[in-house]
Amino acid sequence: MRLRKKWFYWLPLLAVLALVAAACNGEADPDAPGEVSVMSAFTGDEADLFRESIAAFEEETGIDVDYEPADGFETVIQTRVEGGNPPDIAMFPQPGLLMDIVEQTDAAPLSEFMDIDELEDTMAQGFLDATRDEDGEAYGLPMRLANKSLLWYPVPQFEEAGYSIPETQEEMIELEEQIRADGHVPWCLGMESGDATGWVGTDWVEEYMLRLHDAEVYDAWVEGEQPFDSPEVQEAFEWFGRVWQEEGNVVGGTDGLINIPFGESPNVMFDDEPGCYLHRQGNFVTGFFPPDVQEDLDAHVGVAFFPPFEGEDSPILAGGDLALMINDTEEARAFMEYMAQPQFGEEWAAEGGWLSPNVDFDPSVYPDEVHRQMHQTAVDADVIRFDASDMMPGAVGTGSFWSGIVDWVGGRRDLDEVLEFIDGTWPN
């Protein structure tokens, strides 16, 4: 099996562990080399697949991984840190929260125990930048990639209608017009997500920020140096508005967006007479498709890159999970080294729903061509930037940005009012 190769990358750490295991009088500690505690938001099936992915590490090293799945991870990790009892390693879906924990602990940057140049070469372009501090030190090790810049379509129905995959935003507008002229609805779009309602809309705005402006403008926006009411950000909102405000362009019309669950919204694509022909969402959406579609993705659904504007770069809006070593132990270092190897996650990837951030990951492990395409578009991207709302201060990113989008789409505030409102919530 491929997963058990290349242990030599971190064998020096195991040698250290063997020395640490020596007890007084030169006798070995029967419990050596010890354990590492790990916490993340992976629960249910995801927790089981994560455990399968780390079984080889436990077998080869003798280190026990004490894995704690945490519902409400954001609250739990803060409570544990504040109580002085954090796990050795925690895996964060939000870089901003990770950096908050860095400021509250003695967490070491990756460069203190890993080859940072090698990580730069092997991780998806720009992924390490999501958790760099002012000194340029990166803290979060990418261990799962979410590719959000994906355009989904129902393969048989799409081809039967004679439609072509758009390669630019301009071609996408032409496709929308063609679909409407044929008496159909172009887009499936639902925003309802319980307490998190709003993130679907912020993802759309982030997509357009990356396509309309260069990465430096996007970065300045994330840092609060590019205000929401600036012309650049307003333009991105307006492009998203063009999608849902155009009559007949989205399933359910403008009144239905906020009430349609995001996970259910694409499923009408697979009706005999499709309720829509296009859906923009991250790779994780496959887990919400109807069971018969999930059983054979290649036969039912196609995936393409959410296109750039003509003549512009092809950027990827990414999400994912990043591991932070909070307690510096040899066992924790060994586990971090393990997750950095290209074979990590093969068991999870083989089941679908997981993408590796490592450019050297073997794509043949993925269960179908859909997953291979999702991985390849990410590693081939000109620019990758992490989800802006996950990197902004919580009061904005998962606060006013989310609620502002909902107010705008719901008609409670106009765009100028929303942008002014969001700017007013940015921490000093």
Side-chain angles (χ1 to χ4, degrees):
M1 292 181 61
R2 283 178 296 270
L3 185 61
R4 287 169 172 77
K5 297 179 181 178
K6 294 192 178 179
W7 298 101
F8 59 85
Y9 279 107
W10 42 278
L11 281 175
L13 286 173
L14 301 184
V16 174
L17 288 171
L19 293 175
V20 172
C24 294
N25 302 322
E27 295 181 359
D29 182 344
D31 296 326
E35 69 175 26
V36 55
S37 58
V38 178
M39 177 188 290
S40 84
F42 306 143
T43 60
D45 291 343
E46 285 196 330
D48 293 338
L49 289 167
F50 176 69
R51 290 189 179 99
E52 289 182 23
S53 296
I54 63 178
F57 171 81
E58 294 181 299
E59 178 183 344
E60 295 289 337
T61 65
I63 298 172
D64 179 52
V65 178
D66 180 15
Y67 175 60
E68 180 180 352
D71 281 323
F73 169 79
E74 294 82 357
T75 300
V76 174
I77 189 63
Q78 285 280 16
T79 301
R80 291 279 294 274
V81 168
E82 291 169 3
N85 184 34
D88 298 326
I89 295 171
M91 287 172 281
F92 296 78
Q94 299 101 355
L97 177 59
L98 183 151
M99 295 307 289
D100 287 344
I101 299 301
V102 167
E103 293 180 2
Q104 299 171 43
T105 63
D106 295 324
L110 296 173
S111 62
E112 287 195 10
F113 59 97
M114 303 182 78
D115 186 332
I116 199 70
D117 292 331
E118 182 178 340
L119 283 178
E120 289 280 10
D121 291 339
T122 58
M123 293 299 168
Q125 191 266 1
F127 220 61
L128 288 175
D129 295 337
T131 58
R132 289 194 190 276
D133 62 14
E134 294 179 353
D135 298 323
E137 294 281 8
Y139 287 82
L141 174 69
M143 58 79 60
R144 180 167 71 161
L145 168 70
N147 182 349
K148 296 192 172 189
S149 296
L150 298 172
L151 184 67
W152 300 91
Y153 58 97
V155 170
Q157 300 93 326
F158 200 84
E159 294 176 350
E160 183 178 349
Y163 301 143
S164 300
I165 300 303
E167 296 184 0
T168 66
Q169 287 288 320
E170 291 83 358
E171 289 182 4
M172 194 160 69
I173 293 174
E174 293 175 1
L175 176 59
E176 291 175 13
E177 293 171 349
Q178 182 182 359
I179 294 172
R180 291 198 305 270
D182 290 343
H184 306 304
V185 178
W187 289 100
C188 290
L189 179 55
M191 290 178 58
E192 195 279 322
S193 187
D195 292 341
T197 298
W199 68 263
V200 174
T202 63
D203 277 7
W204 274 89
V205 172
E206 291 157 5
E207 292 277 19
Y208 281 117
M209 277 295 293
L210 282 173
R211 282 154 180 75
L212 290 163
H213 312 293
D214 58 33
E216 287 72 23
V217 173
Y218 185 91
D219 295 341
W221 178 48
V222 168
E223 294 296 327
E225 299 167 2
Q226 184 83 35
F228 274 78
D229 66 358
S230 67
E232 292 83 357
V233 181
Q234 181 162 351
E235 185 180 17
F237 272 81
E238 289 171 346
W239 269 91
F240 171 47
R242 185 205 62 77
V243 173
W244 62 266
Q245 290 171 340
E246 179 75 41
E247 185 174 354
N249 216 38
V250 297
V251 172
T254 57
D255 295 335
L257 291 186
I258 298 175
N259 298 316
I260 297 175
F262 82 93
E264 298 177 11
S265 63
N267 289 349
V268 295
M269 280 197 304
F270 307 111
D271 294 344
D272 291 337
E273 181 68 30
C276 70
Y277 283 83
L278 300 169
H279 185 64
R280 188 222 64 83
Q281 191 51 273
N283 59 279
F284 49 82
V285 76
T286 58
F288 293 91
F289 290 162
D292 61 316
V293 175
Q294 293 189 47
E295 289 175 4
D296 191 354
L297 288 177
D298 289 345
H300 293 281
V301 65
V303 63
F305 179 64
F306 188 71
F309 287 91
E310 188 172 354
E312 299 298 329
D313 287 338
S314 299
I316 288 287
L317 178 66
D321 296 276
L322 303 114
L324 173 68
M325 187 179 73
I326 301 175
N327 298 323
D328 189 352
T329 69
E330 295 299 339
E331 292 88 349
R333 289 188 175 203
F335 191 71
M336 293 287 282
E337 289 278 0
Y338 170 72
M339 289 192 292
Q341 302 311 311
Q343 294 85 8
F344 171 71
E346 285 189 345
E347 289 88 350
W348 198 341
E351 295 297 320
W354 185 89
L355 296 180
S356 173
N358 197 305
V359 300
D360 294 327
F361 187 83
D362 181 1
S364 69
V365 174
Y366 292 119
D368 46 55
E369 187 60 29
V370 166
H371 278 82
R372 285 186 280 274
Q373 289 178 343
M374 292 188 294
H375 174 84
Q376 201 61 43
T377 57
V379 299
D380 289 346
D382 296 327
V383 174
I384 293 182
R385 284 297 184 270
F386 215 91
D387 183 298
S389 63
D390 285 342
M391 295 181 68
M392 292 174 177
V396 179
T398 57
S400 59
F401 195 2
W402 283 3
S403 64
I405 284 277
V406 172
D407 287 347
W408 179 42
V409 174
R412 290 188 287 272
R413 298 186 187 187
D414 64 29
L415 182 55
D416 288 339
E417 292 173 331
V418 166
L419 299 177
E420 182 181 359
F421 159 68
I422 299 173
D423 278 332
T425 64
W426 199 279
N428 294 328

